[in-house]
Amino acid sequence: MRILLVEDEPMLAKSLKFQLEKEGFAVDLCNNGDDGLHYALEAVYDVVLLDRMLPGIDGVTLLKELRTRGKNVPIILLTALGSLGDKIQGLDAGADDYVVKPFAFEEILARIRCVNRRPRTWEESLTFSFGDLQMEPNGKLLKGPGGSCELSKREAELMEAFLRNPGQTLPRETLIVRVWGPDADVEAGNLDNYIHFLRRRIRFVKSTLKVTTQRGVGYRLERG
Ligand code: CA
C-alpha cells in the first residue's frame, strides 16, 4: 500500500515514516503543502496522511483542492487542534477521518485500515494500464493486444497492485495484505498459485509484459 505523508515537523515525520515502512507500507514524505498537493495529484496513493498546519498551502486548503479536482483518495487529517469546530471543518472539507496529536502509532494504523475497508466507489471509473495491458477494476476485465479475459476477484486485486506499481518489486507480504487483508491466515503457496494464474491470463491476452520472481523478496510486473 502506498501512503503519502504530508507533515512538516521533522521528528514526527521521520518517526511516522519509519514506523509505517516497518509495517510494510511504501511512504512518500512531503514537508510542505505545495509539494504535498503536487504529489497527491501526480501519483496514486491508497491513503494520504495530511497535517493541518503546513508551510505553503495549509492542510484544509490542500484537501479542498484535491476534492475539487476529483481526487477521491482517503485522507486522514493529523492535527494539534482538537476542538469540535475544527473537526467538523476538516470533515466538511472532505477528510475521511481525523486524528488529534499527540496520537499513538497504533491509532494511525487502525484508522488506515478503517478508511481502506470502506467501499472504493472512487475507483470504479479508473482504468489501470501499463505497457500493452489494461484493466478496468469495475468489470475486472483484463485487456491486451490479443484479446481480453475476465479476472477473478483475487486475480484482479493482484493485477491492480502490479499495475499501480509497474516495474517495482512488490514484497510478498505487501501482496498478501493487499489481496487477502491484514488479518488473513494465508499459506505462502496461495500467493504463488495466484501469480501462476495471473501469468496465464497475461499470456492469454498476448501481452509482452511479465511477472518476474524476485527471489526471496516478491514479484515484479515488467516489460518483457
Ligand atoms: Ca504542522
Side-chain angles (χ1 to χ4, degrees):
M1 244 183 23
R2 274 185 93 176
I3 295 184
L4 175 64
L5 173 60
V6 190
E7 171 61 68
D8 65 311
E9 286 167 44
M11 292 292 283
L12 176 62
K14 208 176 140 189
S15 114
L16 256 182
K17 183 173 193 286
F18 175 77
Q19 293 182 87
L20 288 166
E21 285 173 347
K22 231 174 80 184
E23 292 291 321
F25 298 106
V27 182
D28 288 340
L29 173 63
C30 295
N31 61 11
N32 66 74
D34 300 86
D35 285 353
L37 180 62
H38 179 74
Y39 272 71
L41 287 172
E42 292 302 313
V44 176
Y45 294 99
D46 297 287
V47 175
V48 178
L49 300 178
L50 179 60
D51 185 28
R52 189 172 164 137
M53 308 287 263
L54 289 165
I57 308 170
D58 72 274
V60 172
T61 307
L62 197 166
L63 180 54
K64 285 184 183 158
E65 185 66 25
L66 284 181
R67 296 307 189 220
T68 304
R69 298 208 200 178
K71 279 273 178 184
N72 290 313
V73 56
I75 297 179
I76 302 173
L77 270 183
L78 315 174
T79 182
L81 308 170
S83 78
L84 184 63
D86 289 318
K87 284 184 194 175
I88 292 170
Q89 199 199 347
L91 295 171
D92 276 352
D96 294 80
D97 211 339
Y98 201 100
V99 183
V100 177
K101 295 178 191 172
F103 46 77
F105 179 65
E106 285 65 33
E107 186 181 356
I108 286 286
L109 270 188
R111 304 283 175 122
I112 290 171
R113 274 190 224 115
C114 184
V115 293
N116 263 282
R117 232 178 273 135
R118 288 177 195 161
R120 299 203 181 174
T121 48
W122 65 88
E123 279 181 353
E124 282 179 3
S125 59
L126 249 176
T127 300
F128 298 105
S129 66
F130 173 55
D132 55 13
L133 267 190
Q134 261 193 10
M135 188 183 74
E136 291 161 16
N138 206 15
K140 299 186 175 61
L141 204 63
L142 184 70
K143 291 181 188 166
S148 62
C149 64
E150 206 168 307
L151 302 180
S152 73
K153 183 173 177 290
R154 292 210 159 124
E155 288 168 354
E157 286 181 357
L158 205 52
M159 196 67 226
E160 181 186 323
F162 284 121
L163 289 175
R164 277 171 175 270
N165 306 280
Q168 289 179 39
T169 299
L170 298 179
R172 298 182 60 89
E173 302 72 46
T174 306
L175 291 170
I176 288 172
V177 168
R178 177 98 218 180
V179 178
W180 284 274
D183 307 318
D185 184 19
V186 183
E187 286 183 32
N190 260 0
L191 176 63
D192 304 311
N193 287 340
Y194 274 92
I195 293 288
H196 176 71
F197 299 153
L198 215 53
R199 283 174 174 154
R200 279 175 44 184
R201 304 285 198 193
I202 291 171
R203 280 199 300 271
F204 180 81
V205 300
K206 303 216 168 11
S207 167
T208 58
L209 301 186
K210 284 191 164 58
V211 177
T212 57
T213 306
Q214 308 298 312
R215 200 163 288 280
V217 188
Y219 294 98
R220 181 160 70 203
L221 178 67
E222 54 191 327
R223 294 178 199 273

